[in-house]
Amino acid sequence: MKPPLIKSLTRDHSPLSLRMLGYILLASSVFTLLATGIQVYSDYRSDVSLVESRMNLIETSYREPLARSLWSLDQKLMRVQLEGIHNLPDIVHLYLQIYPDQEVELGEIPGQAPTLQHTIELSYSTEDERFDLGKLTITASLEHIYASLRERIMIILGTQALKTFILSFFILWLFQYLVTRHITHIAGYAEKLNLNRLDQPLVLNRKPSRGEPDELERLQEALNRMRVTLKREIEKQQQDAAEIRKLSQAIEQSPSSVLICNRDWRIVYANRKFTEITHYELNELLNRHPKELTPLSQDSVDNESQWRNIENQVERTGKWQGEMHSTRKGGERFWEQVVITPIREEGDTATRHYLIMGEDISVRKRYEQQLLRQANYDLLTGLPNRLLALDRLKLALTQAKRDNNRVGIMFLDLDNFKTINDTLGHDAGDTLLIEASRRISGSLRGSSTVSRLGGDEFLIILPNLDDATGAERVAERILNAFRPAFSLGGQDVFVSTSIGIALFPDDSDNSSALLQHADAAMYQAKNKGKSAYHRYTPDIHETSHERLKLETLLRKALNRNELLLHYQPIVELPSRRITRVEALIRWDNPEHGLIPPDKFIPLAEESGVIISIGAWVIHTACRAARRWREVTGEDLAIAINVSPRQFRDPGFVDTVRAALNEHELPGSSLELEITERLLLDDSIETQSILRALDEMGVKLSVDDFGTGYSALSYLKSYPFDTLKIDRSFINDITVEEEDEALVNAIITMAHSLGLDVIAEGVEDESQLAFLIEKGCDMAQGYFFSRPMPPEDLLEWAQKNLNVPVS
């Protein structure tokens, strides 16, 4: 059976304790044997020394007596003496050799027993001489010494073995209690230690040392420090791994394409964005140089040279940044903004990899090209714009100075473009501009430049002219190109152009002056009746200057109170009673006197001043209508002409509403006359404005009906109340059968639509009689009264209101 401690060690799997037990037993055994041997040897030597001492004592005690017995030849005494020696302890044999040849032997020498011999020389001395008598050899047996030694050895071995065994097991138990069990616990803790148990410290079931920490405490502290350090390192590694994952995800999901190349510029990584942009699969990219992604073509040499420069610059400066014309897998080219930098280890100057980041800027490049085109070309017509045209003009003038040639400058303006744009709408206006630019371009030769300056104005540059007739021939071709009708929204419209011509160096050697001269000549062509061209002459500048001065004065006229309204009565037929008046604007300028509307209204429309002038007219007319109502007690309506540009102003309806509210007038007190051309723009905007005015009770009238635009189909769609026949048809109704039939048809048609008819320009009795006969509802003209200031009208109205006009 195994001892309990052994069983415990075996059960607890403590090989170290078992080995230590073996080492203790071995060491104890060796020590015991060594100690026993030393002690036995010491005892042996002590016993042998006793025997030797006894031998020496015998020699001392018996040498003289034996020598006398031999000298006296006393055999009996000699035997007694020998037997006395033989009977001493441990003496087993005596051998006496008597000189010369006698021997005496007493006892026996043991065969196997260990013995110790001692020889005594026997001699006798006289005063004169010394005589050698013989020698005695004494043999002592060591048997009892060896027997005693064996007994002592057994006792010592047994005692030492028992002590060693007890001490060894005590030491082993002590080692087990103080060391082994803790080491076993530490080993178990270490075996169970993992990433999920780093928060659990190592705790030993022992009291801490009072003084300096012992080895177990140091081991415990070292393991706990290692645990904390390991935990920190793992947390750091986890953080680093999280950062790496985040960076990896950032690179993989980056909106920019990313390539990583090795030090030989071979691709080792490409992110998802790169494969999406280039359509390459990752396995098609690995171990290839980025320059190989551009197929062999005419750009191959440039591509090779570019990458050589890139590699040199990255090595020299540590960065390359720029735009590259890259290629997708299918061969499609696209623009990239690329940044290339080397990747180096911290503290190391050697390049490990190269990072290539790119961004597809194809859209941006298209926008840049578009912006470049927008900066130099007109978006609508595709012609060069003012900026590019002026640049080409300067270039043409520079070349002409060098070659001693002429340069023709032509300014073109489409006649009645604003009318077309306002009546048919902006889409029709854009179509007209596109077709006009096509016809102008088709009339020029290759070296000439045609550009759109803005609106309906075009500039033509004719380089290398020999004389002025070359520019005039081009102008003739352009005029001829404009003679066919333009198809605008399914309608054929005839549009002409006016052309102004200036020549370098005849008229000026300065580009700005040439442009001014051509512009002035263009307005002179318009004054000639349009659809014409005019060559610049010095006197034209004065006319152009006058027009510019007039426009400046017109812009100041409102603030200087130079504008005023005259009113012309409109009478009812056949009663000839006054029912309303038409407000007609006049400009009384201190410098130029009374300026007629046909001279400044077109200028106001071109410059945009018509918006503010129109608002002033509405407010002024409403104020006069309110005063007339207060003075006369009668509701006298006022008719006001509205220009197309004023009608399309976003604040027009609000202006009318504000004027009626300010002067506390019903909508029926105001009648707005709209040109027939405006009706041709059948837009949602036009419909909403007319309906808003109708909802306010404002009367609506079609002005200048029958002047060339067929608007009959729209009269039923809009809420008109009145139709005004243009004075050009009234002038000859008594002499021209066509005019008579046309006026009769207009009156009949208007009545069939429920509209009242007003005839403009009635100047004699015969015209009035015809209109009454045909059933015309109202009339106005010099036959009844000329336009007059508001004070005169008030006086006239007080005399003639509700009284037939003779």
Side-chain angles (χ1 to χ4, degrees):
M1 293 180 60
K2 294 181 179 179
L5 184 59
I6 299 297
K7 292 182 179 180
S8 174
L9 293 175
T10 305
R11 183 177 64 252
D12 293 341
H13 304 286
S14 181
L16 180 61
S17 297
L18 292 175
R19 282 199 301 273
M20 185 173 181
L21 176 60
Y23 293 148
I24 291 174
L25 291 175
L26 179 61
S28 299
S29 300
V30 172
F31 176 76
T32 299
L33 291 175
L34 183 61
T36 302
I38 293 173
Q39 185 170 353
V40 168
Y41 181 75
S42 177
D43 292 344
Y44 169 75
R45 291 305 307 168
S46 178
D47 291 343
V48 171
S49 296
L50 288 175
V51 173
E52 290 177 347
S53 297
R54 192 176 295 119
M55 292 284 193
N56 292 329
L57 182 59
I58 293 172
E59 181 179 0
T60 303
S61 301
Y62 285 92
R63 183 172 56 184
E64 288 298 330
L66 280 175
R68 283 194 299 267
S69 297
L70 287 177
W71 182 260
S72 60
L73 300 174
D74 188 354
Q75 293 289 333
K76 184 177 180 180
L77 179 59
M78 181 183 64
R79 182 166 290 279
V80 171
Q81 289 173 339
L82 290 175
E83 288 179 355
I85 294 172
H86 184 264
N87 291 331
L88 291 175
D90 300 323
I91 303 300
V92 295
H93 182 264
L94 295 175
Y95 174 72
L96 178 60
Q97 183 179 3
I98 303 172
Y99 299 139
D101 53 3
Q102 291 183 353
E103 294 179 354
V104 177
E105 186 174 0
L106 186 65
E108 294 181 359
I109 298 175
Q112 298 296 328
T115 60
L116 179 65
Q117 290 183 342
H118 185 76
T119 301
I120 301 173
E121 294 290 338
L122 300 175
S123 64
Y124 183 79
S125 298
T126 64
E127 292 180 359
D128 297 325
E129 188 176 1
R130 179 179 179 272
F131 297 97
D132 292 328
L133 302 178
K135 61 180 179 181
L136 175 64
T137 301
I138 302 171
T139 301
S141 176
L142 300 180
E143 179 63 30
H144 73 282
I145 294 176
Y146 276 75
S148 176
L149 285 176
R150 282 193 294 272
E151 183 179 353
R152 282 200 299 271
I153 287 173
M154 294 304 296
I155 294 173
I156 291 172
L157 286 176
T159 304
Q160 290 295 332
L162 182 61
K163 288 193 302 182
T164 300
F165 185 78
I166 294 173
L167 182 61
S168 297
F169 274 89
F170 175 75
I171 293 173
L172 184 62
W173 173 84
L174 192 61
F175 182 76
Q176 168 70 16
Y177 180 78
L178 295 179
V179 178
T180 307
R181 67 188 183 99
H182 299 303
I183 293 178
T184 302
H185 179 71
I186 293 172
Y189 174 84
E191 288 178 355
K192 297 178 181 178
L193 188 64
N194 56 48
L195 298 180
N196 298 324
R197 295 169 61 93
L198 290 177
D199 292 329
Q200 300 178 8
L202 172 61
V203 179
L204 298 180
N205 184 20
R206 64 196 298 266
K207 294 181 180 180
S209 301
R210 293 181 180 179
E212 185 178 353
D214 60 20
E215 287 78 0
L216 286 175
E217 288 178 331
R218 290 166 58 189
L219 178 60
Q220 177 186 5
E221 292 176 0
L223 285 174
N224 282 329
R225 284 196 303 271
M226 182 185 72
R227 175 187 61 83
V228 173
T229 303
L230 182 61
K231 180 181 177 182
R232 290 175 181 169
E233 287 296 324
I234 290 175
E235 289 176 350
K236 185 177 182 300
Q237 290 178 3
Q238 289 175 344
Q239 292 176 355
D240 293 343
E243 288 294 324
I244 292 174
R245 283 195 302 272
K246 182 167 64 177
L247 291 176
S248 178
Q249 291 173 353
I251 292 175
E252 184 63 22
Q253 301 174 18
S254 170
S256 301
S257 65
V258 177
L259 280 180
I260 297 179
C261 300
N262 61 19
R263 65 181 63 189
D264 296 323
W265 292 90
R266 297 293 170 177
I267 298 172
V268 296
Y269 170 81
N271 72 341
R272 183 168 53 200
K273 187 65 177 180
F274 186 88
T275 59
E276 290 176 357
I277 291 176
T278 63
H279 304 157
Y280 281 100
E281 297 294 334
L282 180 60
N283 58 358
E284 297 176 304
L285 298 170
L286 296 178
N287 207 33
R288 297 179 67 182
H289 194 290
K291 67 183 179 183
E292 298 176 9
L293 303 183
T294 300
L296 294 175
S297 65
Q298 58 186 5
D299 299 330
S300 297
V301 177
D302 294 338
N303 185 49
E304 183 78 26
S305 174
Q306 182 185 29
W307 272 102
R308 189 161 51 249
N309 293 334
I310 289 173
E311 293 175 8
N312 292 336
Q313 182 172 336
V314 171
E315 291 300 323
R316 187 175 64 255
T317 66
K319 183 179 182 181
W320 185 88
Q321 182 173 356
E323 295 179 355
M324 297 182 67
H325 208 187
S326 303
T327 309
R328 306 188 204 277
K329 182 179 179 181
E332 178 188 356
R333 304 300 296 271
F334 69 100
W335 282 100
E336 269 190 305
Q337 180 72 35
V338 179
V339 178
I340 304 177
T341 56
I343 301 176
R344 300 185 177 101
E345 295 290 342
E346 187 174 355
D348 190 2
T349 58
T351 299
R352 304 288 183 179
H353 294 85
Y354 295 96
L355 175 65
I356 304 176
M357 298 184 65
E359 181 181 357
D360 189 346
I361 58 171
S362 301
V363 175
R364 193 189 80 188
K365 294 292 286 188
R366 285 196 295 270
Y367 279 135
E368 289 177 356
Q369 294 172 358
Q370 183 177 350
L371 289 175
L372 182 62
R373 183 166 185 81
Q374 289 176 354
N376 294 282
Y377 290 88
D378 176 56
L379 294 180
L380 179 63
T381 62
L383 297 177
N385 61 10
R386 177 184 293 271
L387 183 65
L388 182 58
L390 295 180
D391 185 65
R392 290 187 179 180
L393 175 58
K394 292 178 182 178
L395 183 63
L397 295 183
T398 301
Q399 186 175 354
K401 289 177 183 178
R402 184 177 64 248
D403 298 340
N404 198 23
N405 287 330
R406 286 182 171 83
V407 176
I409 311 298
M410 302 176 68
F411 244 81
L412 278 77
D413 182 277
L414 303 185
D415 300 328
N416 299 321
F417 174 76
K418 287 187 63 58
T419 301
I420 300 294
N421 204 38
D422 291 339
T423 55
L424 299 182
H426 295 292
D427 290 342
D430 291 345
T431 303
L432 175 58
L433 290 172
I434 294 171
E435 178 61 19
S437 65
R438 188 189 65 78
R439 295 189 185 187
I440 295 171
S441 300
S443 303
L444 304 177
R445 61 190 180 191
S447 60
S448 302
T449 296
V450 56
S451 68
R452 183 189 174 203
L453 301 182
D456 62 331
E457 293 182 341
F458 296 86
L459 171 66
I460 298 176
I461 303 171
L462 304 173
N464 302 323
L465 291 180
D466 295 328
D467 51 39
T469 58
E472 293 174 357
R473 286 194 297 270
V474 173
E476 288 287 354
R477 289 200 299 269
I478 294 174
L479 293 179
N480 291 332
F482 272 75
R483 286 196 172 90
F486 290 82
S487 178
L488 305 178
Q491 262 185 252
D492 287 342
V493 179
F494 291 91
V495 179
S496 58
T497 181
S498 299
I499 306 174
I501 303 174
L503 290 179
F504 167 88
D506 305 58
D507 300 324
S508 177
D509 60 356
N510 179 271
S511 60
S512 298
L514 287 170
L515 293 173
Q516 292 177 1
H517 294 342
D519 186 40
M522 184 265 294
Y523 279 104
Q524 190 67 22
K526 282 186 177 294
N527 294 334
K528 289 168 61 175
K530 303 179 182 180
S531 188
Y533 67 87
H534 194 85
R535 167 84 189 281
Y536 171 78
T537 55
D539 61 304
I540 293 179
H541 186 72
E542 184 175 343
T543 302
S544 176
H545 181 73
E546 183 66 24
R547 183 178 182 277
L548 180 61
K549 182 180 178 181
L550 188 64
E551 180 180 339
T552 304
L553 292 174
L554 180 60
R555 292 183 180 276
K556 299 177 181 179
L558 268 180
N559 295 331
R560 294 177 176 176
N561 295 321
E562 296 177 3
L563 298 179
L564 50 90
L565 292 182
H566 286 185
Y567 301 91
Q568 185 176 35
I570 298 175
V571 301
E572 187 181 63
L573 299 178
S575 65
R576 301 188 185 185
R577 297 181 183 277
I578 300 173
T579 59
R580 66 196 71 183
V581 295
E582 181 177 5
L584 301 171
I585 191 169
R586 298 292 185 265
W587 180 14
D588 189 7
N589 182 262
E591 182 179 349
H592 296 276
L594 199 62
I595 302 175
D598 59 352
K599 188 171 183 180
F600 70 85
I601 289 298
L603 189 60
E605 289 191 351
E606 291 178 9
S607 62
V609 184
I610 192 66
I611 303 299
S612 56
I613 291 178
W616 176 84
V617 169
I618 293 174
H619 279 274
T620 304
C622 287
R623 186 183 308 114
R626 179 66 186 177
R627 183 164 178 247
W628 295 335
R629 172 176 289 196
E630 293 173 350
V631 172
T632 65
E634 297 291 336
D635 185 10
L636 188 64
I638 295 185
I640 300 174
N641 285 285
V642 178
S643 75
R645 186 163 185 177
Q646 179 187 5
F647 180 82
R648 297 188 186 283
D649 181 62
F652 174 65
V653 174
D654 293 334
T655 299
V656 174
R657 183 181 291 108
L660 293 174
N661 293 338
E662 179 182 350
H663 301 290
E664 300 178 351
L665 292 176
S668 58
S669 298
L670 186 64
E671 182 174 38
L672 300 181
E673 297 182 358
I674 300 171
T675 59
E676 181 186 10
R677 292 186 295 270
L678 185 63
L679 300 181
L680 298 179
D681 180 19
D682 184 22
S683 65
I684 296 177
E685 180 187 13
T686 301
Q687 296 176 21
S688 62
I689 293 174
L690 292 176
R691 288 196 174 89
L693 295 173
D694 183 59
E695 290 172 359
M696 285 190 286
V698 175
K699 295 183 180 299
L700 300 174
S701 175
V702 180
D703 193 19
D704 298 335
F705 188 82
T707 54
Y709 291 86
S710 176
L712 298 178
S713 61
Y714 299 107
L715 293 178
K716 295 188 297 182
S717 303
Y718 298 134
F720 287 104
D721 303 285
T722 308
L723 186 150
K724 296 187 75 172
I725 303 176
D726 188 70
R727 67 177 65 250
S728 61
F729 299 109
I730 303 300
N731 289 338
D732 300 323
I733 56 173
T734 58
V735 295
E736 293 287 344
E737 292 184 0
E738 291 181 359
D739 290 345
E740 178 183 340
L742 184 58
V743 170
N744 186 30
I746 291 174
I747 295 172
T748 302
M749 180 271 300
H751 287 166
S752 67
L753 295 175
L755 302 177
D756 291 334
V757 180
I758 300 176
E760 292 182 309
V762 178
E763 297 183 356
D764 58 43
E765 185 69 35
S766 60
Q767 293 172 344
L768 178 61
F770 175 83
L771 294 172
I772 293 174
E773 178 187 352
K774 299 303 180 183
C776 185
D777 301 290
M778 285 166 279
Q780 70 179 101
Y782 286 176
F783 179 76
F784 304 106
S785 173
R786 288 178 175 272
M788 62 189 81
E791 297 79 8
D792 296 345
L793 177 65
L794 182 59
E795 180 181 352
W796 186 89
Q798 288 175 336
K799 295 179 181 179
N800 297 281
L801 194 62
N802 292 325
V803 177
V805 178
S806 59

